[in-house]
Amino acid sequence: MSVGNWEGVSEFAAVAESGSFTGAARKLGISTAQVSRQVSALERRLSTKLLYRTTRKVSVTEVGQIYYQHCRQVLDGLAEAERAVTDLQQVPRGRLRLTAPVTYGETTLAPLINDFALRYPELQVEMELTNQKLDLVAEGYDLAIRLGRLSDSSMMARRLGTRTLYVCAAPQYLSSHGEPHSLSELAQHNCLQGTLDYWRFREQGRARNIRVSGSIRCNSGRALVDAALKGIGIVQLPDYYVDEDLQAGRLVSLLAHYREEDDGIWGVYPHNRHLSPKVSMLLDYLGASIGQ
């Protein structure tokens, strides 16, 4: 295959995987117009329609599906060849895309990633902080940092550290409402809720979920911490939200006897993807740093 015949192949594969020209452009780091031009040129060269285009979506034709399967194998082979060359040099370089939850990313992960980037100036880091679980393969991510229990068995996972769930309240709340000493007493308290309507505990060696209710429900841990600090109610949140306030005495830890075993902090990456030096070394660095 001549050099010219490669034009449009990567762009077509990216459109097929992302379902849109915009998504493909974002993945490849080029303009949407350039993606469209390259794919159109490829279709003209092949004298066939690879994509159905409407104002709402883009879908792959039957011929396009067959062509995509062959192209994907070739592109994967090229990527593997590039990774083999990079492996020989053993220096993190090139683009590294990762995703992580918002608050944990802001408070803990981003400073560590920035320190890692300082060590390796040839590395270009793209970090997407979102609480949505992105499709790593379809969206081209090298790594995801995920917290708690893992549910996706199609991914490889490496444990980087642990987090602890604390139930806590401000001293002024406890002076007015008293302190709960058993799980059943939570029904008598204003429990500030996040995205779930239950809290997690361990009682007599078994995991137990307790339904809670209260006057405030919010998907922001920081907002719930603020409400707890103002004496509105009790919260259950991971350590990175409340550590400083617990140490300063602004919040008081409750029901420690029922605290669940520590959750995992995980580095997750696609099962069939070669673990490049930049990802492997970042995982080593995060494991050593978070483990401390």
Side-chain angles (χ1 to χ4, degrees):
M1 181 181 283
S2 66
V3 174
N5 285 344
W6 283 106
E7 292 183 0
V9 172
S10 295
E11 290 83 354
F12 163 68
V15 173
E17 290 167 356
S18 65
S20 72
F21 285 90
T22 303
R26 189 183 304 114
K27 180 178 179 180
L28 297 173
I30 59 178
S31 69
T32 305
Q34 186 176 350
V35 173
S36 180
R37 283 195 301 271
Q38 292 286 65
V39 173
S40 295
L42 176 63
E43 289 179 317
R44 287 194 298 272
R45 191 166 71 246
L46 296 174
S47 299
T48 189
K49 204 74 172 172
L50 300 174
L51 300 170
Y52 291 120
R53 302 164 175 82
T54 68
T55 55
R56 293 188 176 182
K57 67 175 183 178
V58 176
S59 57
V60 184
T61 66
E62 184 177 355
V63 173
Q65 287 285 4
I66 297 171
Y67 188 68
Y68 167 75
Q69 295 300 327
H70 287 281
C71 288
R72 185 69 269 168
Q73 294 176 23
V74 174
L75 291 171
D76 287 342
L78 286 172
E80 189 68 26
E82 290 185 7
R83 284 193 290 266
V85 173
T86 303
D87 285 359
L88 293 175
Q89 301 173 65
Q90 289 297 312
V91 176
R93 56 166 51 90
R95 188 174 68 163
L96 191 156
R97 300 190 73 212
L98 71 152
T99 178
V102 176
T103 301
Y104 185 75
E106 291 174 341
T107 59
T108 303
L109 189 66
L112 296 176
I113 297 296
N114 293 338
D115 289 341
F116 187 77
L118 279 173
R119 292 188 181 188
Y120 303 104
E122 295 182 60
L123 191 66
Q124 294 94 47
V125 178
E126 295 181 15
M127 183 162 48
E128 177 78 15
L129 298 183
T130 174
N131 293 330
Q132 296 180 349
K133 288 191 176 180
L134 304 179
D135 187 325
L136 303 189
V137 176
E139 301 189 42
Y141 284 94
D142 299 294
L143 179 68
I145 305 301
R146 291 183 176 161
L147 310 176
R149 299 168 179 170
L150 297 179
S151 57
D152 191 345
S153 60
S154 67
M155 296 286 151
M156 296 294 289
R158 176 171 166 182
R159 192 181 185 100
L160 303 175
T162 59
R163 67 171 188 171
T164 303
L165 283 176
Y166 285 96
V167 175
C168 48
Q172 63 265 38
Y173 175 88
L174 298 176
S175 65
S176 300
H177 300 86
E179 178 179 338
H181 295 285
S182 66
L183 299 185
S184 60
E185 291 178 48
L186 286 175
Q188 304 165 22
H189 287 270
N190 192 28
C191 298
L192 311 176
Q193 296 173 254
T195 55
L196 303 175
D197 61 357
Y198 63 86
W199 288 355
R200 292 161 46 188
F201 296 97
R202 181 159 291 268
E203 187 175 30
Q204 297 180 347
R206 293 184 178 182
R208 186 175 175 193
N209 295 336
I210 299 294
R211 290 194 173 275
V212 295
S213 61
S215 61
I216 291 179
R217 183 167 191 158
C218 182
N219 65 348
S220 165
R222 287 179 170 173
L224 295 177
V225 170
D226 181 74
L229 288 170
K230 291 174 177 174
I232 296 176
I234 302 175
V235 292
Q236 184 182 63
L237 287 169
D239 45 21
Y240 51 87
Y241 283 105
V242 298
D243 267 344
E244 290 185 7
D245 293 313
L246 287 170
Q247 293 173 17
R250 293 185 292 267
L251 291 175
V252 177
S253 176
L254 307 171
L255 300 170
H257 179 68
Y258 298 97
R259 188 176 299 149
E260 190 180 43
E261 294 178 352
D262 289 349
D263 271 341
I265 299 169
W266 306 90
V268 176
Y269 52 94
H271 191 278
N272 60 349
R273 183 167 295 176
H274 176 84
L275 196 58
S276 64
K278 59 189 175 185
V279 176
S280 178
M281 293 175 72
L282 177 59
L283 286 172
D284 289 342
Y285 175 76
L286 292 177
S289 303
I290 293 171
Q292 294 176 359

